[in-house]
Amino acid sequence: MKFLLLTLTLFSFSAFSQDSTRVRLFVKGGEQYFVRIDGELQPQTNIITVSQGSHDIEIWSFKQKLFKDNLETGKLESTNFFAELTPSSEYVGYLQRTDQYKRKLFFAKTAPFLITGISLAVLPFTTMGRINKHEELVQNTFLNDRNQVPDETLENTQLQYNAVNTLFFISAAGALIGGASFFLLKPVAKKLTTPAFKQQNPFTLEIMQLTYNRSIQSPEFGLTLHF
Amino acid sequence: MKVLFKLILSAILFASCNQNPKACLELEDNYEVGREYQLGSCSDNHEFITWDFGADKNGFIGDSVPHIFQDVGNRNVTIEAFSRGAYNSDVATQQVLVTRRKIDFIEIVGVSDYTRFTMEYESGDIIFSENTVGTFTDESPFVGQIWGDRDWVLPMDPIAISLEGRKNSNTTVLINKVSKNYRYVLDNPSVYEGSDIVMKLYWRFED
């Protein structure tokens, strides 16, 4: 009799265990995702156990669209579920606004600053080069007029002077135009609004925010919790 | 950015402080042909100076330059003083006479009972036979005129000069072949000393 009871108990356990299915989730498109099955939030793991049968599954990750599907386990003890999350249209819009913002910021602030800085750094060297080469050119012209320096030497000096002269004017123009642009475009750069992307977790109702930090020139993540 | 702006402004101000050069020449009126001179200028605020010597085609660059005038005549010496970078310059010109040195006259100091003095040099001799006897002092020397009588140009090579005194038919060497290189001797008078007698040779530039 005891043996019969033990056998029945074991059978009933095995019958219970075969009513559930271990589901391994493969989610593409989100680093950290939230899963809700039949309206119930699941622990943050990629292996979940559900009862055998059909379930409504929802997967959400920050920046992505809410993924909704039907999870059909059949009579399987374990199965895999594949989901591919796609970026939300708001996030795509945010990325476009960020690109536009970065471009505008580059032309209104970074480019003039870089042009001015590089030009000013180079300007002393081009100025000295121009001064020295012009002295050499004047001296060689004087000596060439008296047949004390060959024509080739004078031509060579003239070419060298033309080269350093061009570099001088480029660096001087760069410093002037860059500097003027920097000051003229300063109000434009100030007026630029940093793009932001806000999305509410549909499961936990917490608000996640992505903004662009212009001083470090990279996105900044923020989280607002609701209790 | 304000610091950057101040730096630019300071650089512009510093660059504009560069003063204009002033060319200046204070040369002698006469220069001897064939002699090497070191010529300098009294220019201000310059980085370098170019020198042009007119008919002598070669030019020089420097504050102080060596030059040998090749031909006799008037020459325009022109300098141009250039600022740093040679973007500004100033010109100064001075006319100089390039000429030769000729012996003007000689003086002899000492006691003489000679009836004539003979001054000998490589290419000839000059004889003085008037008023040669007497006691000649610095204040009252024997003077022998050469300019006008002889065209004796001082050479640029060493020259040995002797002085002889003649009494009756006897000749006494008073100064024996003293050699001097007038390329380097500029003393006026040029003094030749014998044992009992001193001869002073005076020169002047040819007009």
Side-chain angles (χ1 to χ4, degrees), chain B residues 99-126:
Chain B
T99 184
R100 299 176 295 183
R101 277 191 296 168
K102 284 185 174 178
I103 305 297
D104 193 5
F105 60 92
I106 62 160
E107 283 181 358
I108 295 172
V109 175
V111 179
S112 165
D113 54 355
Y114 305 108
T115 52
R116 80 179 200 191
F117 291 122
T118 304
M119 196 173 80
E120 289 185 345
Y121 53 98
E122 270 87 346
S123 54
D125 57 23
I126 301 171

Side-chain angles (χ1 to χ4, degrees), chain B residues 6 12-13 16 19-20 24 30 35 38 46 56 72 74 79 116 121-122 134-136 144 151 174-175 184-186:
Chain B
K6 280 178 187 170
I12 292 166
L13 285 173
S16 61
Q19 287 180 313
N20 285 332
C24 164
N30 297 293
R35 172 187 297 286
Q38 192 71 27
H46 61 274
D56 300 328
V72 172
N74 284 312
I79 62 163
R116 80 179 200 191
Y121 53 98
E122 270 87 346
T135 302
F136 302 112
D151 187 24
L174 302 171
I175 295 168
Y184 307 109
V185 176
L186 290 168

Side-chain angles (χ1 to χ4, degrees), chain B residues 60-79:
Chain B
F60 285 93
I61 295 169
D63 286 355
S64 167
V65 297
H67 186 65
I68 299 170
F69 291 100
Q70 302 293 348
D71 299 302
V72 172
N74 284 312
R75 292 279 171 277
N76 283 325
V77 177
T78 304
I79 62 163

Side-chain angles (χ1 to χ4, degrees), chain A residues 3 11-13 15 31 37-38 43 53 68 76 85 100 112 116 118 124 137 150 153 170 175 184 191-192 200 216 221:
Chain A
F3 180 74
F11 266 107
S12 68
F13 269 121
E31 298 144 17
I37 291 177
D38 298 329
K68 284 181 180 178
L76 296 169
L85 304 181
Q100 215 170 21
T116 313
I118 293 167
L137 179 64
T153 306
I170 288 171
L184 288 173
K191 270 185 192 170
L192 289 175
Q200 189 171 35
I216 56 168
F221 181 74

